[in-house]
Amino acid sequence: MMKKGALITIAAVVVSTVATAGPLANTCCDALSHSPVLGDKILYPSSSAYEHRIKDYYSATAALRPWCMVLPLNPTDVSETMRVISSNKCPFGMRGGGHSVFAGSSSTDHGVTIDLGYMNHTSYDPETKLASVRPGGTWADVYGALGPHNVTATGARSSLVGVGGFLLGGGNSLHASAYGWGCQNVENFEVVLANGSVVDANHRENPDLWLGLRGGSANLGVVTRFDMRTIPEPLTWGGGRFWAYNMSDAVVEATVKFADTIEDHVDCSVESMFGWDPASNQSSDGMYIAASLDNVRNVAFPEGLRDFLAIEGVTRDFLESRTVLDRTNIGNGQEGLQNVWVTGTYNNDIRILRYGLKRFEKLVEQLKTHIGYENDKGLNSLIQYQPITEPMIRNGDGPSVLGLENYFAKAGKSAGMLSIVLLSVAKASNLDTLERIGHEYQRDMDQHATELGVNWGWKYLNYADRSEDPIARYGDQSVAFLRKVSKRYDPDGVFQNLRQTGFKIPM
């Protein structure tokens, strides 16, 4: 973490870029820089520190260029930032770990970005067994800090993922069926409200705010600390297993069966993946199959994964016992590229999974035809299937606003299936084509699922594309509740009207 003394001062930069943005840019950035609390924590486009933060985004698509950045070091800094922003009516964006994908997800080019990246400390209290986690780091920071205490937390499947966005958007982890969504394991949120007040939100203090933050994203305040329940299993058994692509139907069948029998193996986790990466040497045509297979109780070759373990044609195998940090220290080949994600959720029905895979093969041909690896060496794509299960709701510590209970009730099933397609290119000039191909895929997928009567319509916020409205999919009850909480804690609508990033509460 960069220390305060290393932050660049306003006297060392030229603010001509801000001046050309207009009078509001001058007003907002000047007000922030003249604050005795924030003066040396403001970065301008002409500074090397500003450029460093821009290059540090996971997805190049998300790395917009704000008028200036605020890099707070503590809740007091965040409080002063929100006070200045609210009083001057400054448009702003919010960035946590910087893992969001689409333009406008975690920065703005019309306003100030509050970059929480230097607030990335994690501590552990052995008496309460709670981890206190700041919002700006990645799960590598959290897992690394908790490992020496022989505990872990319900964090992301990849340690590259940011803390704040993951938890506020739900949080699907390796531990989800055994311990619930990540947001359900937050016992207390420390929150800076729009007026600069710093409050705690838990089931005793501000319980409505506590519930609203469990899936409500960045709509209600700036969370400056998550106090999380920990898990006394620092080791997990599992990893990736790869097969030749002709075993795709066997993997699909095993995925459906695993989800249907989840009640018998909540300690196990599965994520099935079908990819195309022309830069890899995994196959002659770049097509491959893999599955992340895990047991969070560190049981080797568990019964719950036997259908996957019995599939022949294994080409590579990375199954072993290791720490959660080591297990999640993986990327997906999209780091630093232009990225598009599209997602949907369906009944756990093999017909829609098979259709999705066939449609993905068509998508790959479209990528070859309309972009081509010879023209863009960053070109690749991947489809993932992730079971969404009732134990993920039931085994968490209390409720959320995700609204999944209603979908399980309508489907009459104990499991659904989450689909996400990840697409990447290196050249920004190919991004529009990538979006068109991705959106076309998702429209076809959702339409076919609706025809089959298996389309949930629920969109996981942390995977949703900017064209989606995931909070609306939580259901009328959750949306009405979030509106009420927003009106109480943010009566002037700062996070609905001035905030430029992420997804808003439908009004």
Side-chain angles (χ1 to χ4, degrees), residues 33-46:
S33 63
H34 283 94
S35 164
V37 175
L38 300 174
D40 62 349
K41 298 161 188 167
I42 313 303
L43 304 183
Y44 291 93
S46 52

Side-chain angles (χ1 to χ4, degrees), residues 82 85-86 92 194 490-499:
M82 289 311 305
I85 281 175
S86 296
F92 70 100
D490 182 15
D492 295 327
V494 169
F495 286 92
Q496 299 308 301
N497 299 318
L498 294 178
R499 179 171 59 94

Side-chain angles (χ1 to χ4, degrees), residues 449-471:
T450 299
E451 293 169 354
L452 293 175
V454 301
N455 188 9
W456 282 24
W458 189 79
K459 301 285 184 176
Y460 181 30
L461 185 146
N462 288 346
Y463 291 169
D465 180 72
R466 62 181 175 179
S467 63
E468 299 288 354
D469 191 2
I471 294 177

